[in-house]
Amino acid sequence: MKISIIGGGKVAFHLSNMLKEVQHFELFQILIRNKESQAAFTSFENLKIIDNYNQLSNEVDIILIAVNDDQISSVSNSIQALDLFENKYIFHTSGKFTSSVFLPYFKNFGIFYPLQTFSFLRNPDYTKIPFCISASNKVTKQILLDLASSISSNINVLTDQEREKIHLAAVIVNNFTNHLYSIAEDYLEKNNIEFDLLKPLIRETIDKLDDLTPKEAQTGPAKRGDIATIQNHLSLIKDQKELSKLYKMISKSINKDLKI
Ligand SMILES: NC(=O)c1ccc[n+]([C@@H]2O[C@H](COP(=O)([O-])OP(=O)(O)OC[C@H]3O[C@@H](n4cnc5c(N)ncnc54)[C@H](OP(=O)(O)O)[C@@H]3O)[C@@H](O)[C@H]2O)c1
């Protein structure tokens, strides 16, 4: 089956990479409206880069929409206006958006959500990415299953409600955690200490989840109720109101009995 991707961002790039060598599916063209973003895609052999909806080929069977969440509806509208894709299979890659966004436009639609964080400069192991899929009908679901299993061995058929909840949990474990890394990096930088020192600790924090639940794995002054250490930390950041607030809030979330 032939595939077109819409979008020239991080997910579009990794989808292009994932689909380079899969069997039974052929990445045929990609619509990237911004000329500068096209440069990252020129190395994909046989991939036609287009910049206009009128250039979308009627030969394709599947359209993968990998654009900003708030643009999925307008992109669907542009595709439907071409009047060529009524019976094609249209999927988006958002964890947040329900598939109902497609209801006014298509009948064969679904969600192809890769539960991973993507950046241009990193290639995660695609074969381990959990793909969360849902589809508007049986045939569409089978196509999504075939597509996802041509890339990964971790496929999950989910309702919109389940996927939304997984997306929220993913934001907590990925985006929030990474933001905390960033705060720690700024704090250390101001004190001329290298963030790299923390990397073995960060890795072990993740690795030990292979053997323990997050609750079992929790350590630290808040968990122990070690008020003296907490007060000492708060005195070190007494001039940083936001950070003090965050430190207290998370400490209290770890240990509801803390009086700080
Ligand atoms: N990043 C992740 O880690 C991740 C993981 C899983 C799922 N997702 C989901 O995947 C989707 C794409 O995310 P992303 O991270 O790849 O976003 P991104 O890097 O910000 O890229 C978005 C791309 O969509 C293009 N675009 C926006 N509106 C468009 C339109 N109307 N027509 C054509 N192209 C349009 C943008 O083009 P311009 O540059 O011209 O604006 C840009 O190339 C989102 O739904 C997101 O929730 C992301």
Side-chain angles (χ1 to χ4, degrees):
M1 296 185 98
K2 288 190 171 164
I3 301 177
S4 283
I5 294 177
I6 314 284
K10 297 177 281 296
V11 169
F13 179 82
H14 285 283
L15 284 174
S16 305
N17 223 1
M18 290 172 201
L19 294 170
K20 252 185 343 197
E21 281 160 15
V22 294
Q23 291 193 325
H24 311 302
F25 295 94
E26 180 198 346
L27 178 56
F28 184 64
Q29 58 178 193
I30 184 161
L31 189 154
I32 306 171
R33 60 182 183 179
N34 176 340
K35 290 267 181 240
E36 279 168 24
S37 305
Q38 291 180 3
F41 293 78
T42 50
S43 60
F44 292 108
E45 274 179 42
N46 307 323
L47 176 59
K48 294 184 185 61
I49 301 175
I50 57 173
D51 59 10
N52 191 302
Y53 286 91
N54 293 320
Q55 296 168 282
L56 271 177
S57 167
N58 190 26
E59 277 181 56
V60 300
D61 307 286
I62 295 172
I63 298 185
L64 285 176
I65 302 176
V67 301
N68 312 50
D69 290 341
D70 61 0
Q71 290 293 306
I72 295 171
S73 184
S74 119
V75 167
S76 302
N77 196 22
S78 305
I79 295 170
Q80 190 207 31
L82 297 171
D83 242 3
L84 292 171
F85 296 97
E86 202 193 331
N87 296 313
K88 310 277 178 177
Y89 299 93
I90 319 284
F91 308 131
H92 73 64
T93 58
S94 170
K96 182 190 137 209
F97 251 66
T98 65
S99 48
S100 59
V101 65
F102 286 139
L103 267 175
Y105 307 107
F106 312 111
K107 60 175 191 264
N108 301 322
F109 57 80
I111 293 173
F112 188 65
Y113 169 53
L115 180 48
Q116 187 50 279
T117 172
F118 296 103
S119 302
F120 279 108
L121 296 175
R122 294 270 315 165
N123 280 352
D125 181 351
Y126 299 136
T127 63
K128 292 191 177 135
I129 293 178
F131 274 90
C132 302
I133 62 173
S134 46
S136 61
N137 56 50
K138 260 188 174 172
V139 178
T140 308
K141 180 175 153 195
Q142 191 54 52
I143 289 169
L144 271 172
L145 284 171
D146 292 344
L147 181 61
S149 52
S150 73
I151 300 166
S152 167
S153 52
N154 190 342
I155 321 293
N156 307 271
V157 181
L158 299 173
T159 63
D160 278 342
Q161 290 74 19
E162 287 168 331
R163 201 194 46 265
E164 274 178 324
K165 289 178 178 123
I166 289 175
H167 184 247
L168 183 147
V171 166
I172 294 172
V173 299
N174 174 237
N175 305 152
F176 289 6
T177 309
N178 193 66
H179 180 62
L180 294 176
Y181 297 160
S182 178
I183 290 173
E185 185 183 33
D186 285 349
Y187 176 74
L188 290 182
E189 233 170 45
K190 277 187 205 130
N191 291 285
N192 296 316
I193 303 170
E194 294 218 353
F195 178 72
D196 272 6
L197 266 176
L198 293 181
K199 285 187 179 169
L201 172 65
I202 292 171
R203 293 209 171 92
E204 174 59 11
T205 308
I206 292 160
D207 287 347
K208 71 179 180 175
L209 295 179
D210 286 341
D211 301 311
L212 302 169
T213 66
K215 272 201 183 66
E216 288 166 346
Q218 188 71 53
T219 59
K223 168 79 180 172
R224 291 192 300 273
D226 180 350
I227 295 289
T229 304
I230 292 173
Q231 295 299 5
N232 174 252
H233 286 173
L234 288 171
S235 73
L236 290 173
I237 52 173
K238 63 176 183 306
D239 298 332
Q240 297 171 63
K241 277 209 172 105
E242 279 297 309
L243 182 52
S244 299
K245 221 163 93 185
L246 197 61
Y247 187 109
K248 282 186 192 170
M249 208 172 72
I250 295 179
S251 296
K252 281 184 180 169
S253 175
I254 293 171
N255 184 344
K256 306 248 170 326
D257 299 330
L258 275 186
K259 303 273 177 292
I260 48 173

